[in-house]
Amino acid sequence: MNWISQIFVIIFLTSVTGTISGIFWRLFSKQFERVSAQLMYLSLQFVCLFYLVPMEYVCLLLTSSGNMFQSDGLVQTRFLMTEILWIVVVCLLFLWAGVTVQSVAMHIWRNLNVRRIYKGNIPEDDAEAMEEFARICGKLRIRRKIGLCRNDMIYTPQLYGFFRPCVLLPYRKYTREQLTVIFHHELTHYKNHDIFFKWCALCVQLTQHLNPIAKKLRGRMDEWSEYNCDRKAIEAIGDEMSAVRYFQVIIETAGRATQIPEDDSVFSMLCESEIQLERRIEYMKRYQKMTRRTKVYSAALAVLFLLLNVTTTYAAGMKLSELHGKLYGLTENAVREDMGEPPVEYYLPAEEDDCAEEDIVYVPQEAGLYNLEENEIVQFDWEIESGKRYVTGTFEVESGQCIAVSTALIPNNVYCWMGIMDEANNVRYVDGYNRLGYDFQIVKSGKYRVFVHNRQKGSDVNAVGSYYFYTLQPDTEEPVE
């Protein structure tokens, strides 16, 4: 498996699909905002997943060879057999990996102190707070055990932890009403899986370094997760207090706690900066309960947004597959031209072949499992150990046709044979290093195999190439007058 090219393709495609989805989100954002915070937040989650899940890579698998289970399809970017493209891709991949490692290390370093803060969590022992917490958990139908702790190093109530979620309270006295608002808000964050999506947005931020759309994604996720949480919390707490009172209690609870230190931690807070809290209140003032007509409009917008993203991704996959085919054809010709003088063909009868049966590896996924048609390119990517011969399945070739085989050897200083075998296991081959390419003319109809044989002791080789058969066209010359 050409794993370097695979990783490069996955990273590139996720960046492209995420960016396309982000652009669509920007185009739809005004309409989404008029409908509901929930639709805004869900669409942002969708954009985030597009940056992380290689959906277009799967689409390329489906469209490049017509069979996603065919592991030798064009998706393996065979045109990277040319050295210049290979070097460029390797450099870009290692540059991306280096910057990513640096970003992750910086993030961990900035949060070392924050991690120490959360180690100071002490389980809640106030009977009133524990009773109210259990009541709200039951009301919101939360069956999983959520921790409730105090911490003297935090400034505002918050939900923290992905695998072991916990609601944290500062060391101060809260009224029953304040506890009701706090627990409704933080437990709504838990029901919305906001911590998970905040982690996803952080991963996007740390991996998409040069993408301006991706850099803004985390801030928008944080903002709209709070709007959406307020909306749902107000609906849940509506039988106990009004929306106006809900925000009044938050303001009373915040007090001096609105000065939140800046860091890259992943948690959800009740009280943010004063500006952000004002924005939340202003948004809820503009928010009206959805009517039946608005719900239909919301559903139509969501379906349209989803269809545009999916169809664009599929179309991009198709175009990338076509582009890859063209690039492959161009670079394959370039490889052939760079080979210089044509190689010498050798013939080796089966009885003189010194390759033992245990050194032959029959490749299971090749042409023997399907009907290879004329001019149909079959590609391979083999890691061949020293002394081993990788052999394909058989396919029918008629007299007068040619079997064209080409391969690139990595590293380029390993001596190999490349050729064909007939039904009697007689061998025709060319030999050499680095790149091999040859058209074997068939004089006898029958079944043939393609092989690459690593003849160098102590060295493994990665053979990347392709083969197909075609009908040799007779030379036509214009009559001389």
Side-chain angles (χ1 to χ4, degrees):
M1 177 64 71
N2 192 347
W3 60 271
I4 291 181
S5 65
Q6 297 295 286
I7 294 174
F8 175 81
V9 169
I10 290 173
I11 294 170
F12 175 75
L13 291 182
T14 51
S15 179
V16 170
T17 53
T19 302
I20 291 174
S21 185
I23 292 173
F24 279 130
W25 183 85
R26 291 293 298 271
L27 295 175
F28 279 79
S29 60
K30 293 296 183 182
Q31 298 298 323
F32 288 161
E33 185 175 354
R34 293 173 185 172
V35 175
S36 72
Q38 183 178 17
L39 187 56
M40 282 285 283
Y41 188 44
L42 286 175
S43 58
L44 280 171
Q45 292 173 358
F46 188 80
V47 173
C48 191
L49 291 178
F50 250 109
Y51 271 113
L52 299 176
V53 181
M55 300 179 185
E56 192 163 357
Y57 178 76
V58 175
C59 180
L60 191 56
L61 282 172
L62 292 168
T63 57
S64 61
S65 59
N67 183 0
M68 70 176 297
F69 300 106
Q70 183 177 333
S71 61
D72 60 347
L74 290 175
V75 72
Q76 296 194 23
T77 54
R78 300 301 181 184
F79 58 84
L80 293 181
M81 67 174 64
T82 55
E83 288 187 6
I84 294 178
L85 286 175
W86 176 261
I87 292 172
V88 169
V89 166
V90 171
C91 291
L92 288 175
L93 184 61
F94 277 92
L95 177 63
W96 173 86
V99 177
T100 300
V101 170
Q102 181 185 22
S103 300
V104 173
M106 292 289 291
H107 169 75
I108 294 174
W109 175 258
R110 287 194 297 265
N111 284 276
L112 285 177
N113 185 55
V114 177
R115 299 287 296 178
R116 296 190 194 100
I117 290 175
Y118 292 121
K119 288 183 179 179
N121 295 344
I122 299 176
E124 178 63 76
D125 57 1
D126 182 75
E128 183 180 18
M130 295 172 63
E131 178 186 351
E132 184 65 13
F133 186 73
R135 183 182 76 85
I136 303 302
C137 284
K139 179 181 178 181
L140 298 180
R141 298 179 181 178
I142 297 176
R143 295 185 176 87
R144 183 179 177 182
K145 184 178 180 180
I146 310 295
L148 178 62
C149 296
R150 294 272 183 170
N151 191 311
D152 59 355
M153 298 292 291
I154 63 174
Y155 300 91
T156 181
Q158 58 190 245
L159 174 69
Y160 178 77
F162 178 69
F163 295 105
R164 291 182 293 178
C166 181
V167 175
L168 302 179
L169 298 175
Y171 268 104
R172 54 168 291 189
K173 183 65 176 177
Y174 291 106
T175 65
R176 187 84 176 207
E177 188 180 41
Q178 289 174 331
L179 290 173
T180 299
V181 172
I182 291 170
F183 294 151
H184 271 90
H185 185 89
E186 301 306 333
L187 291 175
T188 299
H189 272 306
Y190 169 77
K191 288 197 67 176
N192 292 343
H193 308 290
D194 289 338
I195 296 296
F196 169 76
F197 286 105
K198 284 176 185 255
W199 273 109
C200 290
L202 176 62
C203 290
V204 173
Q205 178 181 318
L206 294 177
T207 55
Q208 302 290 332
H209 320 288
L210 303 178
N211 193 325
I213 295 178
K215 286 183 178 180
K216 297 180 180 179
L217 180 61
R218 188 183 174 199
R220 296 186 184 279
M221 288 280 288
D222 289 342
E223 179 183 5
W224 286 99
S225 71
E226 292 300 329
Y227 293 158
N228 185 54
C229 181
D230 285 333
R231 182 188 67 84
K232 290 191 173 182
I234 288 172
E235 291 178 359
I237 208 173
D239 58 339
E240 301 182 42
M241 65 180 66
S242 65
V244 174
R245 184 55 188 162
Y246 169 85
F247 279 109
Q248 287 177 345
V249 173
I250 289 180
I251 294 172
E252 294 169 2
T253 304
R256 294 174 299 175
T258 53
Q259 308 253 340
I260 306 300
E262 294 185 2
D263 56 64
D264 289 338
S265 302
V266 178
F267 52 76
S268 295
M269 298 181 295
L270 175 72
C271 311
E272 303 165 339
S273 66
E274 293 181 1
I275 295 177
Q276 290 171 322
L277 190 55
E278 289 174 1
R279 288 177 180 172
R280 286 165 57 185
I281 296 172
E282 180 62 28
Y283 179 80
M284 291 308 299
K285 285 180 180 178
R286 292 186 285 112
Y287 176 79
Q288 297 178 352
K289 192 172 183 179
M290 294 172 60
T291 63
R292 183 184 298 267
R293 181 180 177 182
T294 307
K295 290 181 179 179
V296 173
Y297 181 52
S298 173
L301 279 176
V303 170
L304 180 60
F305 177 73
L306 182 63
L307 285 176
L308 282 174
N309 278 279
V310 172
T311 54
T312 303
T313 297
Y314 183 78
M318 292 285 289
K319 291 298 181 182
L320 282 170
S321 178
E322 294 174 6
L323 175 62
H324 180 278
K326 293 178 181 179
L327 285 173
Y328 175 78
L330 292 173
T331 53
E332 184 185 38
N333 293 333
V335 168
R336 288 173 179 261
E337 292 173 2
D338 290 344
M339 286 179 184
E341 302 218 352
V344 177
E345 178 185 335
Y346 298 93
Y347 175 77
L348 184 66
E351 58 270 16
E352 297 180 15
D353 191 356
D354 62 353
C355 185
E357 182 65 28
E358 58 267 21
D359 291 330
I360 297 178
V361 178
Y362 294 95
V363 184
Q365 77 271 22
E366 297 295 350
L369 295 184
Y370 61 93
N371 295 322
L372 183 62
E373 297 179 358
E374 186 176 355
N375 295 317
E376 179 183 355
I377 298 176
V378 180
Q379 302 184 350
F380 56 83
D381 187 349
W382 300 330
E383 294 288 343
I384 308 176
E385 299 176 2
S386 175
K388 297 293 184 180
R389 177 184 295 179
Y390 273 48
V391 182
T392 71
T394 59
F395 52 95
E396 294 277 354
V397 185
E398 300 293 332
S399 174
Q401 294 182 319
C402 287
I403 301 176
V405 190
S406 62
T407 185
L409 304 173
I410 305 169
N412 59 10
N413 59 350
V414 178
Y415 175 68
C416 291
W417 290 1
M418 179 199 75
I420 61 174
M421 300 170 62
D422 60 19
E423 295 177 82
N425 290 330
N426 298 312
V427 174
R428 295 167 60 186
Y429 68 94
V430 295
D431 63 345
Y433 305 86
N434 193 11
R435 302 188 184 103
L436 298 172
Y438 195 75
D439 292 2
F440 297 91
Q441 187 171 350
I442 304 304
V443 295
K444 182 181 178 181
S445 301
K447 295 181 178 180
Y448 289 84
R449 299 174 182 267
V450 171
F451 75 89
V452 177
H453 191 167
N454 183 354
R455 301 289 294 184
Q456 186 148 329
K457 294 182 179 180
S459 297
D460 297 344
V461 69
N462 177 212
V464 181
S466 67
Y467 63 90
Y468 63 96
F469 70 90
Y470 64 94
T471 300
L472 186 63
Q473 299 295 329
D475 294 333
T476 57
E477 297 182 0
E478 295 183 4
V480 180
E481 296 182 358

